[in-house]
Amino acid sequence: DAKTTQPNSMESNEEEPVHLPCNHSTISGTDYIHWYRQLPSQGPEYVIHGLTSNVNNRMASLAIAEDRKSSTLILHRATLRDAAVYYCILRDTGNQFYFGTGTSLTVIP
Amino acid sequence: GAVVSQHPSRVICKSGTSVKIECRSLDFQATTMFWYRQFPKKSLMLMATSNEGSKATYEQGVEKDKFLINHASLTLSTLTVTSAHPEDSSFYICSATPGLTYNEQFFGPGTRLTVL
């Protein structure tokens, strides 16, 4: 199973940008990179996904390295509601998600 | 986005009893559903993949006779924890997707199981 590595925790000031890194050095050519976030005692929530090109949506941006061995989730202006555990996940052709340890993001008012 | 529900949200049971957890896709047909468990302050661990009308595929180390999964319709999958013990206490989360070519998994809100 492909694996991802993320920092255990990060902090950000409110209304400042946040860059959450993820390493996935064993990624295969067909693996999609997904990001989900989870609030305490809730199911994960979709944030963004991509394959090779950078992606933008209303929640965040995803920057994917040219060799695809790493990616960065960018929250443009962190709010208190963005405090959560963020998971970087590789999705294989079987559509299974194998979660890593995730990054716990704290947003400081 | 698509909505997935779970029932019950919380359940407390006695050791030795069986507990059934339901996972429903409310506004789409889910050809594939997944079951995860999550211990406190830990990540989600995939338990099994369930395709409608066929037997579930269990991850290594997950006892199929302990965790019975039924995916009888395109909108419902059930997880039954048989002969539950305190070590089965956990947060159980399901997810659903309309198909293998679909990019997203839609997650349910989770079920907190406590076995006394």
Side-chain angles (χ1 to χ4, degrees):
Chain A
D1 305 331
K3 293 184 177 179
T4 61
T5 305
Q6 300 174 252
N8 287 332
S9 62
M10 291 185 67
E11 287 186 351
S12 173
N13 293 319
E14 194 176 10
E15 299 196 359
E16 291 192 355
V18 183
H19 290 232
L20 299 169
C22 180
N23 288 319
H24 27 79
S25 58
T26 60
I27 191 170
S28 72
T30 54
D31 287 341
Y32 280 80
I33 301 160
H34 285 248
W35 285 81
Y36 280 71
R37 69 183 185 183
Q38 185 182 27
L39 296 170
S41 297
Q42 294 187 26
E45 173 191 27
Y46 171 80
V47 178
I48 201 167
H49 78 278
L51 183 61
T52 56
S53 303
N54 294 343
V55 184
N56 299 296
N57 66 21
R58 63 177 178 80
M59 289 181 70
S61 295
L62 176 60
I64 301 173
E66 198 168 330
D67 63 4
R68 300 209 327 126
K69 293 185 176 182
S70 66
S71 62
T72 302
L73 178 70
I74 303 165
L75 307 179
H76 296 287
R77 287 180 68 230
T79 70
L80 297 178
R81 288 176 295 180
D82 291 323
V85 177
Y86 286 79
Y87 292 101
C88 167
I89 306 159
L90 299 185
R91 178 179 70 90
D92 62 14
T93 52
N95 217 25
Q96 276 107 355
F97 282 3
Y98 295 98
F99 283 73
T101 54
T103 296
S104 178
L105 175 65
T106 300
V107 180
I108 302 168
Chain B
V3 179
V4 175
S5 70
Q6 283 185 240
H7 178 79
S9 57
R10 290 178 178 270
V11 57
I12 301 173
C13 70
K14 293 182 178 180
S15 190
T17 60
S18 295
V19 174
K20 180 184 285 189
I21 302 170
E22 293 185 348
C23 176
R24 293 182 185 272
S25 56
L26 298 185
D27 50 4
F28 68 99
Q29 293 188 328
T31 57
T32 306
M33 288 183 168
F34 304 88
W35 286 95
Y36 301 81
R37 68 185 300 182
Q38 185 176 31
F39 293 109
K41 299 192 182 300
K42 297 294 185 182
S43 184
L44 282 76
M45 183 191 80
L46 179 65
M47 298 175 67
T49 303
S50 169
N51 291 301
E52 186 265 337
S54 62
K55 289 184 179 180
T57 302
Y58 290 81
E59 294 295 307
Q60 191 172 7
V62 178
E63 299 176 59
K64 61 179 182 180
D65 295 329
K66 172 83 174 165
F67 300 100
L68 300 179
I69 293 172
N70 184 285
H71 191 164
S73 78
L74 285 172
T75 59
L76 173 65
S77 176
T78 60
L79 168 68
T80 301
V81 183
T82 63
S83 186
H85 291 282
E87 56 266 30
D88 298 323
S89 299
S90 188
F91 194 49
Y92 291 88
I93 305 171
C94 73
S95 71
T97 181
L100 289 180
T101 58
Y102 203 81
N103 286 311
E104 272 186 67
Q105 285 187 24
F106 301 100
F107 285 83
T111 297
R112 176 80 56 195
L113 170 64
T114 303
V115 185
L116 302 177

